[in-house]
Amino acid sequence: MKKTGVGKAASRRTDLFLETSRRKYPPQDWTGPIDADVQDDLEIEPAHAQSDAVKAFRKTALSVGFPSNGLTLRGWVYKPAGDGPFPAIVWNHGAEKYPSARPELGLFCTQHGYALFVPVRHGHHPSPGEYFGDTIQDYIGSGEDRVSIQRKVVALAEESNEDVVAALNWLKKQTYINADAIAVGGVAYGGLQSLLAAERGLNLRACIAFSPGAMSWGNREIRQRTIEAVQRSKMPVFLLQAQNDYTLGPSDVLGPMIREKGGANQAKVYAAFGTTHAEGAIGFACWEEGIKIWGSDVLDFLKATGMGGS
């Protein structure tokens, strides 16, 4: 795989990407972790009926606890039949306060020989701690300027990523998991969390990032942080978006950087999914109908990174 550094050449490319991003995606009137007009879309996932098979499979989820920064956080694990050890995918939820256990993804993964772990970061139900959205609102209320608020969002993202690291450390100790065959994935804020984990390495095999940071693309600090994470990623990255996502900024800016790395790295924009931005982001990544579209591409990507599966 071709290596991409962060020296002078990489810095010049970053400046070009940022300048292009500023022209195509000008900063919005935005002060919170997400744009005000998408707050409801992020907090409440679009209504969607699960199939009977998914509803039945949800009952097989193992409810687990794992330690992080003095707290016991919660999560769900789905396992294929048998004792393992299985390759695994850690799915990072978005910014919503009440994340789903994602049985649709669990069913897909286990059908192809992968375990799925859905850890819940601190402050997101049912894990304890302060919800980062509340922290941001308090910070806004303190009268801080826009740039300071945007930087605070990035700092909180870094803090949340410690929970991702803790989840990975816990998962690697489970006897039914192959600790040398773990990938991370997630959508929106969870896609950003996955890129931050990819930057750290953590003995991971691959990163699957749906719509990373798209809802917050008006935040220049978030854009810059995603660029840095992609540049420094220590594993192959697959970036996926549907045409009707909140913005295609991640694909336009990060996509060329990812493809330039060569090897298994790839970025792809798919046809519109559903009729709303929320469906094009969350629905595309997490619903059965979306999985049918990207599923084979992700399986091929995982096999190319040595993740195995069946």
Side-chain angles (χ1 to χ4, degrees), residues 231-272:
Q231 287 177 328
R232 299 167 182 164
S233 173
K234 297 176 176 62
M235 67 205 63
V237 173
F238 188 5
L239 188 155
L240 305 86
Q241 287 193 274
Q243 187 70 41
N244 60 322
D245 202 339
Y246 289 91
T247 173
L248 292 181
S251 290
D252 291 343
V253 177
L254 306 177
M257 301 171 63
I258 292 170
R259 286 188 287 266
E260 182 183 350
K261 290 191 170 193
N265 289 280
Q266 56 185 295
K268 185 173 180 179
V269 176
Y270 294 77

CSV table of all heavy atoms in Angstrom, one decimal, residues 231-272:
chain,number,residue,atom,x,y,z
A,231,GLN,N,-5.2,11.3,6.5
A,231,GLN,CA,-3.8,11.3,6.2
A,231,GLN,C,-3.0,10.4,7.0
A,231,GLN,O,-2.1,9.7,6.6
A,231,GLN,CB,-3.3,12.7,6.3
A,231,GLN,CG,-3.7,13.7,5.3
A,231,GLN,CD,-3.2,15.1,5.5
A,231,GLN,OE1,-3.0,15.5,6.7
A,231,GLN,NE2,-3.0,15.8,4.4
A,232,ARG,N,-3.4,10.3,8.3
A,232,ARG,CA,-2.5,9.5,9.2
A,232,ARG,C,-3.1,8.1,9.5
A,232,ARG,O,-2.5,7.4,10.3
A,232,ARG,CB,-2.5,10.2,10.6
A,232,ARG,CG,-1.8,11.6,10.5
A,232,ARG,CD,-2.1,12.4,11.7
A,232,ARG,NE,-1.5,13.8,11.6
A,232,ARG,CZ,-1.8,14.8,12.4
A,232,ARG,NH1,-2.7,14.6,13.4
A,232,ARG,NH2,-1.3,16.0,12.3
A,233,SER,N,-4.1,7.7,8.8
A,233,SER,CA,-4.7,6.4,9.0
A,233,SER,C,-3.7,5.3,8.8
A,233,SER,O,-2.9,5.3,7.9
A,233,SER,CB,-5.9,6.2,8.0
A,233,SER,OG,-6.3,4.9,8.1
A,234,LYS,N,-3.7,4.4,9.7
A,234,LYS,CA,-2.8,3.3,9.7
A,234,LYS,C,-3.4,2.0,9.2
A,234,LYS,O,-2.8,0.9,9.4
A,234,LYS,CB,-2.2,3.1,11.1
A,234,LYS,CG,-1.5,4.3,11.6
A,234,LYS,CD,-1.0,4.1,13.1
A,234,LYS,CE,-0.2,5.3,13.5
A,234,LYS,NZ,-0.9,6.5,13.5
A,235,MET,N,-4.5,2.1,8.4
A,235,MET,CA,-5.1,1.0,7.9
A,235,MET,C,-6.0,1.4,6.7
A,235,MET,O,-6.2,2.6,6.5
A,235,MET,CB,-6.1,0.3,8.9
A,235,MET,CG,-7.3,1.2,9.3
A,235,MET,SD,-7.9,0.8,10.9
A,235,MET,CE,-6.5,1.2,11.9
A,236,PRO,N,-6.4,0.5,5.8
A,236,PRO,CA,-7.2,0.8,4.7
A,236,PRO,C,-8.6,1.4,5.1
A,236,PRO,O,-9.1,1.0,6.2
A,236,PRO,CB,-7.4,-0.5,3.9
A,236,PRO,CG,-6.3,-1.3,4.4
A,236,PRO,CD,-6.0,-1.0,5.8
A,237,VAL,N,-9.0,2.4,4.4
A,237,VAL,CA,-10.3,3.1,4.7
A,237,VAL,C,-11.3,2.9,3.5
A,237,VAL,O,-10.8,3.1,2.3
A,237,VAL,CB,-10.1,4.6,5.0
A,237,VAL,CG1,-11.4,5.3,5.1
A,237,VAL,CG2,-9.2,4.7,6.2
A,238,PHE,N,-12.5,2.6,3.8
A,238,PHE,CA,-13.6,2.6,2.8
A,238,PHE,C,-14.6,3.7,3.2
A,238,PHE,O,-15.2,3.6,4.2
A,238,PHE,CB,-14.2,1.3,2.7
A,238,PHE,CG,-15.2,1.1,1.6
A,238,PHE,CD1,-15.4,2.1,0.6
A,238,PHE,CD2,-15.9,-0.1,1.4
A,238,PHE,CE1,-16.3,1.9,-0.5
A,238,PHE,CE2,-16.8,-0.3,0.4
A,238,PHE,CZ,-17.0,0.7,-0.6
A,239,LEU,N,-14.7,4.8,2.4
A,239,LEU,CA,-15.6,5.9,2.7
A,239,LEU,C,-16.8,5.7,1.8
A,239,LEU,O,-16.7,5.6,0.6
A,239,LEU,CB,-15.0,7.2,2.4
A,239,LEU,CG,-15.8,8.5,2.8
A,239,LEU,CD1,-14.8,9.6,3.1
A,239,LEU,CD2,-16.8,8.9,1.8
A,240,LEU,N,-18.0,5.7,2.4
A,240,LEU,CA,-19.3,5.5,1.6
A,240,LEU,C,-20.3,6.6,1.9
A,240,LEU,O,-20.4,7.0,3.0
A,240,LEU,CB,-19.9,4.1,2.0
A,240,LEU,CG,-19.1,2.8,1.8
A,240,LEU,CD1,-18.3,2.6,3.1
A,240,LEU,CD2,-20.0,1.6,1.6
A,241,GLN,N,-20.9,7.1,0.8
A,241,GLN,CA,-22.0,8.0,1.0
A,241,GLN,C,-23.1,7.8,-0.1
A,241,GLN,O,-22.7,7.3,-1.2
A,241,GLN,CB,-21.5,9.5,0.8
A,241,GLN,CG,-20.7,10.0,2.0
A,241,GLN,CD,-20.6,11.5,1.9
A,241,GLN,OE1,-19.6,12.0,1.3
A,241,GLN,NE2,-21.5,12.2,2.6
A,242,ALA,N,-24.3,8.1,0.2
A,242,ALA,CA,-25.4,8.1,-0.8
A,242,ALA,C,-25.5,9.5,-1.3
A,242,ALA,O,-25.2,10.5,-0.7
A,242,ALA,CB,-26.7,7.7,-0.2
A,243,GLN,N,-26.0,9.6,-2.6
A,243,GLN,CA,-26.0,10.9,-3.3
A,243,GLN,C,-26.8,11.9,-2.5
A,243,GLN,O,-26.5,13.1,-2.6
A,243,GLN,CB,-26.6,10.7,-4.6
A,243,GLN,CG,-26.6,11.9,-5.5
A,243,GLN,CD,-25.2,12.2,-6.0
A,243,GLN,OE1,-24.4,11.3,-6.3
A,243,GLN,NE2,-24.8,13.5,-6.0
A,244,ASN,N,-27.8,11.5,-1.7
A,244,ASN,CA,-28.7,12.5,-1.0
A,244,ASN,C,-28.3,12.6,0.5
A,244,ASN,O,-29.2,12.9,1.3
A,244,ASN,CB,-30.2,12.1,-1.1
A,244,ASN,CG,-30.5,10.7,-0.6
A,244,ASN,OD1,-29.7,9.8,-0.7
A,244,ASN,ND2,-31.6,10.5,0.1
A,245,ASP,N,-27.1,12.4,0.8
A,245,ASP,CA,-26.6,12.6,2.1
A,245,ASP,C,-26.7,14.1,2.4
A,245,ASP,O,-27.0,14.9,1.5
A,245,ASP,CB,-25.1,12.2,2.2
A,245,ASP,CG,-24.7,11.9,3.7
A,245,ASP,OD1,-25.3,12.4,4.6
A,245,ASP,OD2,-23.7,11.2,3.8
A,246,TYR,N,-26.4,14.6,3.6
A,246,TYR,CA,-26.5,16.0,4.0
A,246,TYR,C,-25.6,16.8,3.1
A,246,TYR,O,-26.0,18.0,2.8
A,246,TYR,CB,-26.2,16.2,5.5
A,246,TYR,CG,-27.3,15.6,6.4
A,246,TYR,CD1,-27.2,14.3,6.8
A,246,TYR,CD2,-28.3,16.4,6.8
A,246,TYR,CE1,-28.2,13.8,7.7
A,246,TYR,CE2,-29.3,15.9,7.6
A,246,TYR,CZ,-29.3,14.6,8.0
A,246,TYR,OH,-30.3,14.1,8.8
A,247,THR,N,-24.4,16.3,2.8
A,247,THR,CA,-23.5,17.0,1.9
A,247,THR,C,-22.6,15.9,1.4
A,247,THR,O,-22.3,14.9,2.1
A,247,THR,CB,-22.7,18.1,2.6
A,247,THR,OG1,-21.7,18.6,1.7
A,247,THR,CG2,-22.0,17.6,3.8
A,248,LEU,N,-22.0,16.0,0.2
A,248,LEU,CA,-21.0,15.1,-0.3
A,248,LEU,C,-19.6,15.7,0.0
A,248,LEU,O,-18.6,15.2,-0.6
A,248,LEU,CB,-21.2,14.9,-1.8
A,248,LEU,CG,-22.5,14.1,-2.1
A,248,LEU,CD1,-22.6,13.9,-3.6
A,248,LEU,CD2,-22.6,12.7,-1.4
A,249,GLY,N,-19.5,16.6,0.9
A,249,GLY,CA,-18.2,17.2,1.2
A,249,GLY,C,-17.2,16.1,1.6
A,249,GLY,O,-16.0,16.2,1.1
A,250,PRO,N,-17.5,15.1,2.5
A,250,PRO,CA,-16.5,14.1,2.8
A,250,PRO,C,-16.0,13.4,1.6
A,250,PRO,O,-14.8,13.1,1.4
A,250,PRO,CB,-17.3,13.2,3.7
A,250,PRO,CG,-18.3,14.1,4.4
A,250,PRO,CD,-18.7,15.0,3.3
A,251,SER,N,-16.9,13.0,0.6
A,251,SER,CA,-16.4,12.3,-0.6
A,251,SER,C,-15.6,13.2,-1.5
A,251,SER,O,-14.6,12.7,-2.0
A,251,SER,CB,-17.7,11.8,-1.3
A,251,SER,OG,-18.3,10.7,-0.6
A,252,ASP,N,-16.0,14.5,-1.6
A,252,ASP,CA,-15.3,15.4,-2.5
A,252,ASP,C,-13.9,15.7,-1.9
A,252,ASP,O,-12.9,15.8,-2.7
A,252,ASP,CB,-16.1,16.7,-2.6
A,252,ASP,CG,-17.4,16.5,-3.4
A,252,ASP,OD1,-17.5,15.4,-4.1
A,252,ASP,OD2,-18.2,17.4,-3.4
A,253,VAL,N,-13.8,15.9,-0.6
A,253,VAL,CA,-12.5,16.3,0.0
A,253,VAL,C,-11.7,15.1,0.4
A,253,VAL,O,-10.5,15.0,0.1
A,253,VAL,CB,-12.8,17.2,1.2
A,253,VAL,CG1,-11.5,17.6,1.9
A,253,VAL,CG2,-13.6,18.5,0.8
A,254,LEU,N,-12.3,14.1,1.1
A,254,LEU,CA,-11.5,13.0,1.6
A,254,LEU,C,-11.3,11.9,0.6
A,254,LEU,O,-10.3,11.2,0.6
A,254,LEU,CB,-12.2,12.4,2.9
A,254,LEU,CG,-12.5,13.4,4.0
A,254,LEU,CD1,-13.3,12.6,5.1
A,254,LEU,CD2,-11.2,14.0,4.6
A,255,GLY,N,-12.4,11.8,-0.3
A,255,GLY,CA,-12.3,10.7,-1.3
A,255,GLY,C,-11.0,10.6,-2.1
A,255,GLY,O,-10.4,9.6,-2.2
A,256,PRO,N,-10.6,11.7,-2.7
A,256,PRO,CA,-9.4,11.7,-3.5
A,256,PRO,C,-8.1,11.3,-2.6
A,256,PRO,O,-7.2,10.6,-3.1
A,256,PRO,CB,-9.2,13.1,-4.0
A,256,PRO,CG,-10.6,13.6,-4.1
A,256,PRO,CD,-11.3,13.0,-2.9
A,257,MET,N,-8.1,11.8,-1.4
A,257,MET,CA,-7.0,11.5,-0.5
A,257,MET,C,-6.9,10.0,-0.2
A,257,MET,O,-5.9,9.4,-0.2
A,257,MET,CB,-7.1,12.3,0.8
A,257,MET,CG,-7.2,13.8,0.6
A,257,MET,SD,-7.6,14.7,2.1
A,257,MET,CE,-6.2,14.2,3.1
A,258,ILE,N,-8.1,9.4,0.0
A,258,ILE,CA,-8.2,8.0,0.3
A,258,ILE,C,-7.8,7.1,-0.9
A,258,ILE,O,-7.0,6.2,-0.8
A,258,ILE,CB,-9.6,7.6,0.8
A,258,ILE,CG1,-9.9,8.2,2.2
A,258,ILE,CG2,-9.8,6.1,0.9
A,258,ILE,CD1,-11.3,8.1,2.6
A,259,ARG,N,-8.3,7.5,-2.0
A,259,ARG,CA,-8.0,6.7,-3.2
A,259,ARG,C,-6.5,6.8,-3.6
A,259,ARG,O,-5.9,5.9,-4.1
A,259,ARG,CB,-8.8,7.1,-4.4
A,259,ARG,CG,-10.3,6.7,-4.3
A,259,ARG,CD,-11.1,7.0,-5.6
A,259,ARG,NE,-11.4,8.4,-5.7
A,259,ARG,CZ,-12.5,9.0,-5.2
A,259,ARG,NH1,-13.4,8.2,-4.7
A,259,ARG,NH2,-12.7,10.3,-5.4
A,260,GLU,N,-5.9,8.0,-3.3
A,260,GLU,CA,-4.5,8.2,-3.6
A,260,GLU,C,-3.6,7.2,-2.9
A,260,GLU,O,-2.5,6.9,-3.3
A,260,GLU,CB,-4.1,9.6,-3.3
A,260,GLU,CG,-2.7,10.0,-3.6
A,260,GLU,CD,-2.3,11.4,-3.2
A,260,GLU,OE1,-3.2,12.2,-2.9
A,260,GLU,OE2,-1.1,11.8,-3.3
A,261,LYS,N,-4.0,6.8,-1.7
A,261,LYS,CA,-3.2,5.8,-0.9
A,261,LYS,C,-3.1,4.5,-1.6
A,261,LYS,O,-2.1,3.7,-1.3
A,261,LYS,CB,-3.9,5.7,0.5
A,261,LYS,CG,-3.8,6.9,1.4
A,261,LYS,CD,-4.2,6.6,2.8
A,261,LYS,CE,-3.8,7.7,3.7
A,261,LYS,NZ,-3.9,7.3,5.1
A,262,GLY,N,-4.0,4.1,-2.5
A,262,GLY,CA,-3.9,2.9,-3.2
A,262,GLY,C,-4.3,1.7,-2.3
A,262,GLY,O,-4.9,1.8,-1.3
A,263,GLY,N,-3.9,0.5,-2.8
A,263,GLY,CA,-4.2,-0.7,-2.1
A,263,GLY,C,-5.7,-0.9,-2.0
A,263,GLY,O,-6.5,-0.7,-2.9
A,264,ALA,N,-6.2,-1.3,-0.8
A,264,ALA,CA,-7.6,-1.6,-0.6
A,264,ALA,C,-8.4,-0.3,-0.3
A,264,ALA,O,-9.6,-0.3,-0.3
A,264,ALA,CB,-7.7,-2.5,0.6
A,265,ASN,N,-7.7,0.8,-0.1
A,265,ASN,CA,-8.4,2.1,0.2
A,265,ASN,C,-9.4,2.4,-1.0
A,265,ASN,O,-9.0,2.3,-2.2
A,265,ASN,CB,-7.4,3.2,0.3
A,265,ASN,CG,-6.6,3.1,1.6
A,265,ASN,OD1,-7.1,3.5,2.7
A,265,ASN,ND2,-5.4,2.6,1.5
A,266,GLN,N,-10.6,2.9,-0.6
A,266,GLN,CA,-11.5,3.3,-1.6
A,266,GLN,C,-12.6,4.2,-1.1
A,266,GLN,O,-12.8,4.3,0.2
A,266,GLN,CB,-12.2,2.1,-2.3
A,266,GLN,CG,-12.9,1.1,-1.3
A,266,GLN,CD,-13.4,-0.1,-2.0
A,266,GLN,OE1,-14.3,0.0,-2.8
A,266,GLN,NE2,-12.9,-1.3,-1.6
A,267,ALA,N,-13.2,5.0,-2.0
A,267,ALA,CA,-14.3,5.9,-1.6
A,267,ALA,C,-15.3,5.8,-2.7
A,267,ALA,O,-15.0,5.8,-3.9
A,267,ALA,CB,-13.8,7.3,-1.4
A,268,LYS,N,-16.6,5.7,-2.3
A,268,LYS,CA,-17.6,5.6,-3.3
A,268,LYS,C,-18.9,6.3,-3.0
A,268,LYS,O,-19.3,6.3,-1.8
A,268,LYS,CB,-18.0,4.1,-3.5
A,268,LYS,CG,-18.9,3.7,-4.6
A,268,LYS,CD,-19.1,2.2,-4.7
A,268,LYS,CE,-20.1,1.9,-5.9
A,268,LYS,NZ,-20.2,0.4,-6.1
A,269,VAL,N,-19.5,7.0,-4.0
A,269,VAL,CA,-20.8,7.6,-3.8
A,269,VAL,C,-21.8,6.8,-4.5
A,269,VAL,O,-21.7,6.5,-5.7
A,269,VAL,CB,-20.8,9.1,-4.4
A,269,VAL,CG1,-22.2,9.7,-4.3
A,269,VAL,CG2,-19.8,9.9,-3.6
A,270,TYR,N,-22.8,6.4,-3.8
A,270,TYR,CA,-23.9,5.6,-4.4
A,270,TYR,C,-25.1,6.4,-4.8
A,270,TYR,O,-25.2,7.6,-4.4
A,270,TYR,CB,-24.3,4.5,-3.3
A,270,TYR,CG,-23.3,3.5,-3.0
A,270,TYR,CD1,-22.2,3.8,-2.1
A,270,TYR,CD2,-23.3,2.2,-3.5
A,270,TYR,CE1,-21.3,2.9,-1.8
A,270,TYR,CE2,-22.4,1.3,-3.1
A,270,TYR,CZ,-21.3,1.6,-2.3
A,270,TYR,OH,-20.4,0.7,-1.9
A,271,ALA,N,-26.0,5.8,-5.5
A,271,ALA,CA,-27.3,6.5,-5.9
A,271,ALA,C,-28.0,6.9,-4.6
A,271,ALA,O,-27.8,6.4,-3.5
A,271,ALA,CB,-28.1,5.6,-6.7
A,272,ALA,N,-28.9,7.9,-4.8
A,272,ALA,CA,-29.7,8.4,-3.6
A,272,ALA,C,-30.5,7.2,-3.0
A,272,ALA,O,-31.0,6.3,-3.7
A,272,ALA,CB,-30.7,9.5,-4.1
